Amino acid sequence: MNPADLGLPVDVPSTALFTDHYELTMLQAALANGTADRRSVFEVFTRRLPEGRRYGVVGGTGRVLDAVENFRFDGAVLEFLRERAVVDMRTLDWLASYRFSGDIWGYPEGEVYFPGSPVLRVEGSFAECVLLETVVLSILNHDSAIAAAASRMASAAGDRPLIEMGARRTHELAAVAASRAAYVGGFTSTSDLAAGFRYGIPTVGTSAHAFTLLHDTERDAFRAQVASLGAGTTLLVDTYDVAEAVRTAVEVAGTELGAVRIDSGDLLLVAHRVRQQLDDLGATATKIVVTSDLDEYAIASLAAAPVDAYGVGTQLVTGSGHPTCSMVYKLVARAASADPKAALVPVAKKSTGGKTSVGGRKWAARRVDAEGVAEAEVLGTGPVPAALADRQLLVQLVKAGEVVAREPLEAARDRHREAREALPLSATQLSRGEAVLPTEYV
């Protein structure tokens, strides 16, 4: 069974209105003056990484492909636009048959990126490309922010698994996307069942404090949970007194108790005390899971603690302080006329305040040193140097309107791990710093 075929609540029948009003008014004007059919190249990039971040992570590419396929103006959508007089009838007629027929190239999902990296390149007529701007940026800015936060947390956690549990801290549909992006970034499971159903991510969960408070005693709560879920379950031990709860947990479940969860207090101190107590009680195989507003810094601070897994919510789904990547979607080249054979002309915004862009249809490659460690992100508009020919980063995602690069989520997850491991060691430092690789234009 493919959950994507079931029409889940996390899907929408059309993504056409996930756009800004001015995308359609630009279309109307371009249709009127004859520039709508000019061949155009748009690129998605960020001018800078969020403050203190050493690298970015491409997240949401698979969702972008779904959004492009579902970008259709059906009868209800067209009627809405007509009633609001958003565009004229000529434009509505054009929208009625809209299907993206161009090409899309991009960094494959899970790859890392740096300032200026052409994360996505959309090619086609101006009319068909400009309409995709808002939905593309909406997905990539959100998912890449979550994936980057997840990557930093995964790096800090080392070999210890991470559980995504932020569904109650964000919009219900954003939670599903966040879980997906977190999985790409290195998390191992989610508490969100919709994410598990939609994307096949492993789901986990046992009980909250409410379950303990429901019962007359903590022992009664533990007995009920173990009777239902087995001794391998995870018991929450910080509702009342942690030491007493750990003792009761082992008495009820035996030394085969799967794990205990700690959700409050000085996690470093409490984890050491709980580990010692579990060992003294003979529950040497019982694991310790910690939660409670963790971020990458808190996870790193627990590296020496006897912790076996981390559960992360709020900080993950909000990008750990950076909920967007500030990606933009800019026209970098366009034809001199509507003639399909007309040459592309590089174009670029020139303005003050650091909002300039570099014109031209770009390729991207990552130069490595003799040991295979990345040393620079190289971008260019001319021929690709022979030394970089096999180091190019852009892959074709859509060809003549058809998706050609859909892949399992596991592939993006594995790619990210490999990409991060190929970066200099300083990439995983949590101290503030500049991008770990310079961006060079040739």
Side-chain angles (χ1 to χ4, degrees):
M1 179 186 70
N2 181 6
D5 295 333
L6 301 182
L8 306 182
V10 294
D11 288 334
V12 293
S14 169
T15 52
L17 291 185
F18 290 172
T19 192
D20 289 306
H21 187 115
Y22 79 171
E23 312 290 9
L24 298 188
T25 54
M26 282 191 288
L27 169 64
Q28 176 176 309
L31 288 171
N33 78 350
T35 55
D37 290 332
R38 285 190 178 186
R39 191 158 54 99
S40 300
V41 180
F42 286 82
E43 288 178 354
V44 175
F45 61 93
T46 184
R47 296 183 175 94
R48 63 193 63 85
L49 297 178
E51 184 181 358
R53 295 290 168 89
R54 304 297 182 89
Y55 61 93
V57 180
V58 179
T61 306
R63 296 207 310 119
V64 166
L65 299 180
D66 292 340
V68 171
E69 283 189 330
N70 289 327
F71 207 93
R72 304 283 188 270
F73 292 84
D74 59 21
V77 169
L78 291 170
E79 181 62 19
F80 165 79
L81 296 175
R82 187 194 64 78
E83 289 179 349
R84 299 294 180 93
V86 175
V87 290
D88 60 21
M89 287 305 300
R90 177 186 180 184
T91 307
L92 290 175
D93 289 342
W94 189 93
L95 291 173
S97 59
Y98 177 86
R99 299 291 187 275
F100 180 74
S101 63
D103 299 333
I104 299 178
W105 295 70
Y107 281 36
E109 190 159 16
E111 184 58 84
V112 297
Y113 69 88
F114 300 90
S117 297
V119 171
L120 202 73
R121 190 175 73 218
V122 183
E123 305 180 20
S125 71
F126 175 83
E128 63 180 341
C129 294
V130 74
L131 293 181
L132 299 178
E133 175 180 5
T134 304
V135 70
V136 165
L137 289 179
S138 175
I139 294 171
L140 291 180
N141 269 312
H142 175 269
D143 289 24
S144 297
I146 306 305
S151 177
R152 285 163 60 86
M153 293 174 188
S155 178
D159 295 331
R160 298 171 179 177
L162 290 157
I163 306 164
E164 184 280 311
M165 46 196 306
R168 62 191 64 190
R169 295 291 187 262
T170 188
H171 184 279
E172 66 271 20
L173 301 188
V176 182
S179 180
R180 181 186 183 282
Y183 193 66
V184 170
F187 274 59
T188 55
S189 58
T190 179
S191 66
D192 193 310
L193 290 175
F197 188 55
R198 179 69 177 82
Y199 296 116
I201 302 169
T203 60
V204 297
T206 51
S207 67
H209 291 102
F211 186 76
T212 300
L213 296 170
L214 169 69
H215 293 79
D216 294 334
T217 68
E218 194 168 47
R219 183 179 294 273
D220 288 343
F222 288 173
R223 281 174 173 164
Q225 185 172 327
V226 170
S228 178
L229 302 178
T233 190
T234 298
L235 295 176
L236 182 59
V237 295
D238 71 329
T239 305
Y240 305 117
D241 178 82
V242 172
E244 181 61 31
V246 170
R247 185 179 306 108
T248 302
V250 176
E251 288 176 358
V252 169
T255 57
E256 300 303 310
L257 174 63
V260 296
R261 178 162 75 94
I262 306 167
D263 189 49
S264 59
D266 183 335
L267 297 178
L268 179 62
L269 175 63
V270 175
H272 277 287
R273 288 178 173 173
V274 168
R275 180 73 271 158
Q276 184 63 55
Q277 185 180 9
L278 287 170
D279 291 347
D280 290 345
L281 292 170
T284 56
T286 299
K287 298 182 183 302
I288 297 175
V289 180
V290 295
T291 53
S292 185
D293 290 328
L294 298 177
D295 61 11
E296 60 264 50
Y297 301 101
I299 292 169
S301 73
L302 293 169
V307 172
D308 298 287
Y310 306 93
V312 188
T314 303
Q315 293 301 318
L316 174 66
V317 299
T318 57
S320 194
H322 297 289
T324 180
C325 304
S326 298
M327 290 181 180
V328 295
Y329 184 99
K330 296 298 180 183
L331 183 67
V332 297
R334 51 83 175 168
S337 71
D339 184 344
K341 297 180 180 179
L344 286 174
V345 178
V347 295
K349 177 181 178 180
K350 289 182 170 60
S351 66
T352 58
K355 297 185 76 172
T356 59
S357 57
V358 178
R361 181 181 185 272
K362 297 171 201 68
W363 52 263
R366 188 161 300 144
R367 192 173 67 238
V368 300
D369 63 19
E371 281 73 43
V373 178
E375 62 179 13
E377 194 87 339
V378 186
L379 312 181
T381 58
V384 180
L388 296 174
D390 63 348
R391 302 294 306 174
Q392 294 188 70
L393 295 163
L394 291 162
V395 299
Q396 188 154 27
L397 303 171
V398 175
K399 183 176 182 179
E402 297 296 325
V403 174
V404 296
R406 190 167 271 114
E407 62 181 5
L409 197 57
E410 291 289 346
R413 175 182 168 84
D414 292 342
R415 180 182 297 113
H416 175 63
R417 183 179 60 254
E418 294 170 1
R420 189 178 63 199
E421 290 174 351
L423 294 176
L425 287 176
S426 56
T428 59
Q429 292 178 346
L430 295 181
S431 57
R432 294 189 178 277
E434 299 300 317
V436 72
L437 296 187
T439 301
E440 299 177 1
Y441 290 89
V442 299

